[in-house]
Amino acid sequence: MQQDQLKISPLKAINNLARENKIVAEYQLEKESGPAHAKFYCVRLRLGDKEYVGSDRSIKLAQRAAAQIALNDQTHLLLKDKSDKGINLSKHPTVTLNTWAAQNHIPIQYVLLNQHSVTTPNNVSSNFPCIMFYYRLYLGQDLHFDGHDLSHQLARINCAYHALNFIRDNEKSIL
C-alpha cells in the first residue's frame, strides 16, 4: 500500500482505489435499528462486484467501517507488482480462476459447507447479527480450498483467492 494511502481516511482510500481501477464504489444504507437516542446503522459498500458490510452508531461511521473492511480485503491489489507475468490477481478472482480452469480443462465446483449468525467483526461492542457463509472450492479431483465471509459471493471469492495463490506458486506441478 502506498504511504499516502496509509494516512488518509478509509473512505478516501476506497474512492482512490475505485478511481484507479475504474470501478464504482457505492454505499447503501441496509438497516437502521434501535431507539431514536441510540440508533445503529448497517451500510453495504459495493466496490465493483464485491460487497462489504459495516455497522456503527452513525451512517458515516458505518460507511467508514465498510470501507476499512474493503481496504483490508483489497490490500493485495495495492501491493501487487504490476509487472508480474503470472496469474493476475488484480482481476476478479472468480473470473480469473474460471478462465484458468477452462484453459487447462480442470473442473471447479463451489459447495456451501455451513452458515451461522455472528456479530460484526468491525464493532465488537455491538451485537448486530450477520450471517457467515463457509464454502469449499473443489479444483479438479485432488485439491480443495476453503473460504468464508459475510456473503455467499465474498466467501466464494475468498476460496478463489486461496486457489489462485496456490496455483501461482505451484502451477507446474498442478499441470
Side-chain angles (χ1 to χ4, degrees), residues 16 31 44-45 47 50 55 65-66 68-69 71 73 76 81-82 87 100 103-104 114 128 138 144 153 155 161 167 174:
N16 291 345
K31 188 173 182 180
R44 181 175 305 275
L45 165 60
L47 185 60
K50 296 181 86 174
S55 54
Q68 186 61 56
I69 293 168
L71 279 176
D73 184 48
H76 68 279
D81 180 8
K82 303 290 185 191
I87 290 179
W100 180 88
Q103 289 171 344
N104 293 286
N114 195 3
F128 193 79
Y138 291 95
H144 70 271
Q153 180 184 15
Y161 276 129
I167 291 167
I174 294 172

Coordinates of all heavy atoms in Angstrom, one line a residue, residues 16 31 44-45 47 50 55 65-66 68-69 71 73 76 81-82 87 100 103-104 114 128 138 144 153 155 161 167 174:
N16 N -10.2 6.5 -4.0 CA -9.0 6.4 -4.9 C -8.8 5.1 -5.5 O -8.4 5.0 -6.7 CB -7.7 6.8 -4.0 CG -7.7 8.2 -3.6 OD1 -8.4 9.1 -4.1 ND2 -6.9 8.5 -2.6
K31 N -29.7 -1.2 6.9 CA -30.6 -1.3 8.0 C -30.4 -0.2 9.1 O -29.2 0.2 9.2 CB -30.3 -2.7 8.7 CG -31.3 -3.1 9.7 CD -31.1 -4.6 10.2 CE -32.1 -5.0 11.2 NZ -31.9 -6.3 11.7
R44 N -23.9 -1.1 3.3 CA -23.3 -2.0 2.4 C -22.5 -1.2 1.4 O -23.0 -0.3 0.8 CB -24.3 -2.9 1.7 CG -23.7 -3.9 0.7 CD -24.8 -4.8 0.1 NE -25.5 -5.5 1.1 CZ -25.2 -6.6 1.7 NH1 -24.0 -7.2 1.4 NH2 -25.9 -7.1 2.6
L45 N -21.2 -1.5 1.2 CA -20.4 -0.9 0.2 C -20.2 -1.9 -0.9 O -19.8 -3.0 -0.8 CB -19.0 -0.6 0.8 CG -17.9 -0.3 -0.2 CD1 -18.2 0.9 -1.0 CD2 -16.5 -0.1 0.5
L47 N -18.2 -2.4 -4.2 CA -16.9 -2.0 -4.8 C -16.7 -2.8 -6.0 O -16.3 -4.0 -5.9 CB -15.8 -2.1 -3.8 CG -14.4 -1.6 -4.3 CD1 -14.5 -0.1 -4.6 CD2 -13.4 -1.8 -3.2
K50 N -17.8 -6.6 -5.7 CA -17.7 -7.1 -4.4 C -18.5 -6.3 -3.4 O -18.8 -5.1 -3.7 CB -16.2 -7.1 -4.0 CG -15.3 -8.0 -4.9 CD -13.9 -8.0 -4.4 CE -13.7 -9.0 -3.3 NZ -12.3 -9.1 -2.9
S55 N -21.0 -1.6 10.1 CA -22.1 -1.1 11.0 C -21.5 -0.3 12.2 O -20.4 -0.6 12.6 CB -23.0 -2.3 11.5 OG -22.2 -3.3 12.2
A65 N -16.5 2.0 8.4 CA -16.3 0.6 8.8 C -16.3 -0.3 7.6 O -15.4 -1.2 7.4 CB -17.3 0.1 9.9
A66 N -17.3 -0.1 6.7 CA -17.3 -0.9 5.5 C -16.1 -0.6 4.6 O -15.5 -1.6 4.0 CB -18.6 -0.6 4.7
Q68 N -13.1 0.3 5.6 CA -12.0 -0.3 6.2 C -11.9 -1.8 6.0 O -10.9 -2.3 5.7 CB -11.9 0.0 7.7 CG -10.6 -0.5 8.4 CD -9.4 0.2 7.8 OE1 -9.3 1.4 7.8 NE2 -8.5 -0.6 7.3
I69 N -13.1 -2.4 6.0 CA -13.1 -3.9 5.7 C -12.7 -4.1 4.3 O -12.0 -5.0 4.0 CB -14.5 -4.4 6.0 CG1 -14.8 -4.4 7.5 CG2 -14.7 -5.8 5.5 CD1 -16.2 -4.7 7.9
L71 N -10.8 -2.2 2.4 CA -9.4 -1.9 2.3 C -8.6 -3.1 2.8 O -7.6 -3.5 2.1 CB -9.0 -0.7 3.1 CG -9.2 0.7 2.4 CD1 -8.9 1.8 3.4 CD2 -8.5 0.8 1.1
D73 N -9.4 -6.1 2.7 CA -9.6 -7.2 1.6 C -8.8 -6.8 0.4 O -8.3 -7.7 -0.3 CB -11.0 -7.4 1.3 CG -11.3 -8.5 0.3 OD1 -10.7 -9.6 0.5 OD2 -12.0 -8.3 -0.6
H76 N -4.0 -6.5 -1.1 CA -3.1 -7.3 -2.0 C -3.2 -6.6 -3.4 O -2.2 -6.6 -4.1 CB -3.6 -8.7 -2.1 CG -4.9 -8.9 -2.8 ND1 -6.1 -8.7 -2.1 CD2 -5.2 -9.1 -4.0 CE1 -7.1 -8.9 -2.9 NE2 -6.6 -9.2 -4.1
D81 N 2.6 -6.3 -7.6 CA 3.6 -5.7 -8.6 C 2.9 -5.9 -10.0 O 2.6 -7.0 -10.4 CB 4.9 -6.5 -8.6 CG 5.9 -6.0 -9.6 OD1 5.6 -5.0 -10.2 OD2 6.9 -6.7 -9.7
K82 N 2.7 -4.8 -10.7 CA 2.0 -4.8 -12.0 C 2.8 -5.5 -13.0 O 2.2 -5.9 -14.0 CB 1.7 -3.3 -12.4 CG 0.9 -2.5 -11.5 CD -0.5 -3.0 -11.4 CE -1.3 -2.1 -10.5 NZ -2.6 -2.5 -10.1
I87 N -0.3 -15.4 -12.8 CA -1.7 -15.2 -12.7 C -2.0 -13.8 -12.2 O -1.4 -13.4 -11.2 CB -2.3 -16.3 -11.8 CG1 -2.3 -17.6 -12.5 CG2 -3.8 -15.9 -11.4 CD1 -2.8 -18.8 -11.7
W100 N -8.7 -19.7 -16.1 CA -7.5 -20.6 -16.0 C -8.0 -22.0 -16.0 O -7.4 -22.8 -16.7 CB -6.8 -20.3 -14.7 CG -5.6 -21.2 -14.5 CD1 -4.3 -21.0 -15.0 CD2 -5.6 -22.5 -13.8 NE1 -3.5 -22.0 -14.6 CE2 -4.2 -23.0 -13.9 CE3 -6.5 -23.2 -13.2 CZ2 -3.9 -24.2 -13.4 CZ3 -6.1 -24.4 -12.6 CH2 -4.8 -24.9 -12.8
Q103 N -9.1 -23.0 -19.6 CA -7.9 -23.1 -20.5 C -7.2 -24.4 -20.2 O -6.6 -24.9 -21.1 CB -7.0 -21.9 -20.3 CG -7.6 -20.6 -20.8 CD -6.7 -19.4 -20.5 OE1 -5.8 -19.5 -19.6 NE2 -6.9 -18.3 -21.1
N104 N -7.2 -24.9 -19.0 CA -6.5 -26.1 -18.6 C -7.3 -27.3 -18.4 O -6.9 -28.3 -17.9 CB -5.6 -25.8 -17.3 CG -4.6 -24.8 -17.6 OD1 -3.6 -25.1 -18.2 ND2 -4.8 -23.6 -17.1
N114 N -21.4 -24.5 5.4 CA -22.1 -24.1 6.6 C -22.4 -22.6 6.6 O -21.8 -21.9 5.8 CB -21.2 -24.5 7.8 CG -22.0 -24.4 9.1 OD1 -23.2 -24.2 9.2 ND2 -21.2 -24.6 10.2
F128 N -24.8 -6.6 16.4 CA -25.6 -6.6 15.1 C -25.3 -7.9 14.4 O -24.2 -8.2 14.1 CB -25.1 -5.4 14.3 CG -25.9 -5.1 13.1 CD1 -27.1 -4.4 13.3 CD2 -25.6 -5.6 11.9 CE1 -27.9 -4.1 12.2 CE2 -26.5 -5.3 10.8 CZ -27.6 -4.6 11.0
Y138 N -13.7 -27.0 -4.9 CA -13.0 -28.1 -5.4 C -12.4 -27.8 -6.8 O -13.1 -27.3 -7.7 CB -14.0 -29.3 -5.6 CG -14.5 -29.8 -4.2 CD1 -15.7 -29.4 -3.7 CD2 -13.7 -30.7 -3.5 CE1 -16.1 -29.9 -2.5 CE2 -14.1 -31.2 -2.3 CZ -15.3 -30.8 -1.8 OH -15.8 -31.2 -0.5
H144 N -8.7 -28.9 -2.8 CA -9.9 -28.1 -2.4 C -9.3 -26.9 -1.5 O -8.3 -27.0 -0.9 CB -10.9 -28.9 -1.6 CG -10.4 -29.3 -0.2 ND1 -9.8 -30.5 0.0 CD2 -10.5 -28.8 1.0 CE1 -9.5 -30.7 1.2 NE2 -9.9 -29.6 1.9
Q153 N -21.2 -14.6 -2.2 CA -20.2 -14.2 -3.2 C -18.8 -13.9 -2.6 O -17.8 -14.4 -3.1 CB -20.7 -12.9 -3.9 CG -19.8 -12.4 -4.9 CD -20.2 -11.1 -5.5 OE1 -21.1 -10.4 -5.0 NE2 -19.6 -10.7 -6.7
A155 N -17.6 -15.2 0.1 CA -17.0 -16.5 0.6 C -16.4 -17.2 -0.6 O -15.3 -17.8 -0.5 CB -18.0 -17.3 1.3
Y161 N -9.4 -16.8 -4.2 CA -8.1 -16.2 -3.8 C -7.1 -17.3 -3.4 O -6.0 -17.3 -3.8 CB -8.2 -15.1 -2.7 CG -8.6 -13.8 -3.2 CD1 -9.6 -13.1 -2.7 CD2 -7.9 -13.1 -4.3 CE1 -10.0 -11.8 -3.1 CE2 -8.2 -11.9 -4.7 CZ -9.3 -11.2 -4.1 OH -9.6 -10.0 -4.6
I167 N -2.2 -21.8 -7.0 CA -1.8 -22.1 -8.5 C -0.6 -21.3 -8.9 O 0.3 -21.8 -9.5 CB -3.0 -21.8 -9.4 CG1 -4.2 -22.8 -9.1 CG2 -2.6 -21.7 -10.8 CD1 -5.5 -22.4 -9.7
I174 N 0.8 -28.7 -10.8 CA -0.6 -29.0 -11.0 C -0.9 -29.5 -12.3 O -1.6 -30.5 -12.5 CB -1.5 -27.7 -10.7 CG1 -1.4 -27.3 -9.3 CG2 -2.9 -28.0 -11.1 CD1 -2.0 -25.9 -9.0

